[in-house]
Amino acid sequence: MSELVCPFCQFPMGAGALRCGGCGASFLASPPPDSGAPVCAVHPQWMSQHACERCGAFACARCLRRGPRRELVCESCHARVPHALLPWDQRAELGWVKAFWKTCVEVMLRPVTTFERMSREASVGDSLLFAGLSAFVGYASTWLLYTLFLLAFPYESFPASGSDNETHPALFRGVVGVLFVVCMLLLPLLSMGLTLAVAGLDHLVLKVAGAQGTFRTTLRGHAMSQGVNLAGLVPFCSMYVLPFWSLGVRVSAYRSLHGVGWGPAVFGALLIPALTCCIGVGGYVAIMTAILAPGALKP
């Protein structure tokens, strides 16, 4: 597989990138007069960046693409490459449960192969629907286990102290049950909203890194990377394993779907989560420092 780097700063670049994500140099350059430099077969005003590894035609930065096997191809050859349908894309024939299950298994066990052969884009609704269903499946078992623990807890064994305070175990258990149902209903909607927002931020970062794919490409990669949530059927995996697993798979998704190198893919997938963690940890430290400062709790 041919790797592309910026000719000026050697920064890794993705096929189809028009500018370097490192130094900002444009890859659309006119050939020097009488130089004999190869030019693009479609845009003869631009120098060729690489020859198509299928038909041999010279291609400029605007025309160069990655094929399903990571080979460099021109735009015409890329348009003729057939893409395999994911089981999720065939849910009308397979059924929703089977299509979702098979897609999640492919994403979990064969992420690189799956993302390289799948179509790059899907409707926004299809991607968000998969993300919402993945969140429900991934977190339901853990939340159910916590709920059952709270329902089975022997509150009657711990009477409230004082004549004016009385425990109401039945009422408390009812509230716990209602909260579980409400959370399960809201979880897919919250997941869809979060997926849409984070995918938008990731897309901006990927654009800065030189990716040329559309927002639908980024959203599809972000949503499909959540297929690992199927492992959340094992209690407690959802909170302590899946977020990190999903981030790793998302790097592979962005790399394959946008046709960029590992560097831009890692940058696009991890920058926003890293900044979010830094802000969260920094805010927590600032709050605790203010609370524990000498004299902070004095009236």
Side-chain angles (χ1 to χ4, degrees):
M1 182 187 71
S2 301
E3 293 293 341
L4 292 173
V5 295
C6 174
F8 304 102
C9 69
Q10 304 303 307
F11 186 83
M13 56 176 287
L18 302 183
R19 287 189 175 276
C20 176
C23 66
S26 174
F27 298 136
L28 295 176
S30 300
D34 303 323
S35 64
V39 297
C40 177
V42 179
H43 306 98
Q45 70 273 28
W46 304 125
M47 291 180 61
S48 170
Q49 192 175 46
H50 203 280
C52 175
E53 296 179 2
R54 283 178 172 245
C55 69
F58 290 116
C60 66
R62 192 182 298 276
C63 297
L64 203 59
R65 299 288 186 271
R66 284 283 184 192
R69 295 181 178 85
R70 308 294 299 164
E71 72 274 26
L72 291 169
V73 297
C74 64
E75 192 172 25
S76 298
C77 289
H78 186 268
R80 293 193 294 267
V81 175
H83 292 285
L85 291 176
L86 284 177
W88 178 251
D89 299 327
Q90 307 174 69
R91 57 188 181 277
E93 297 82 12
L94 299 176
W96 283 62
V97 175
K98 185 176 181 180
F100 177 76
W101 180 276
K102 292 184 69 174
T103 301
C104 290
V105 171
E106 289 189 11
V107 170
M108 292 167 61
L109 301 182
R110 297 176 295 275
V112 175
T113 303
T114 299
F115 293 130
E116 285 184 349
R117 68 181 180 83
M118 64 183 267
S119 58
R120 298 171 61 186
E121 293 190 9
S123 69
V124 173
D126 280 353
S127 297
L128 292 181
L129 191 60
F130 185 86
L133 187 57
S134 297
F136 181 85
V137 172
Y139 289 87
S141 63
T142 299
W143 286 21
L144 178 61
L145 194 63
Y146 280 127
T147 301
L148 292 176
F149 173 78
L150 292 175
L151 291 177
F153 193 81
Y155 301 102
E156 295 84 357
S157 302
F158 301 91
S161 60
S163 59
D164 295 333
N165 297 321
E166 296 181 2
T167 56
H168 299 280
L171 176 61
F172 185 80
R173 291 189 176 101
V175 171
V176 169
V178 170
L179 287 177
F180 173 77
V181 173
V182 171
C183 288
M184 286 296 97
L185 293 176
L186 292 179
L187 181 61
L189 299 178
L190 293 174
S191 175
M192 291 179 187
L194 188 62
T195 297
L196 191 64
V198 176
L201 295 174
D202 285 353
H203 188 65
L204 292 177
V205 176
L206 286 166
K207 281 293 186 182
V208 172
Q212 295 300 308
T214 65
F215 171 69
R216 289 188 178 187
T217 300
T218 303
L219 180 62
R220 183 164 170 82
H222 192 286
M224 290 301 159
S225 68
Q226 298 177 48
V228 299
N229 285 359
L230 184 65
L233 293 175
V234 179
F236 303 113
C237 278
S238 58
M239 295 186 179
Y240 309 111
V241 177
L242 298 185
F244 304 100
W245 190 357
S246 181
L247 282 176
V249 172
R250 193 167 304 148
V251 172
S252 178
Y254 288 167
R255 172 179 175 268
S256 298
L257 298 181
H258 280 287
V260 297
W262 285 109
V266 171
F267 185 60
L270 301 185
L271 179 62
I272 300 303
L275 289 178
T276 302
C277 289
C278 290
I279 293 173
V281 172
Y284 175 79
V285 171
I287 292 174
M288 294 304 297
T289 301
I291 292 176
L292 299 177
L297 301 179
K298 294 181 179 180

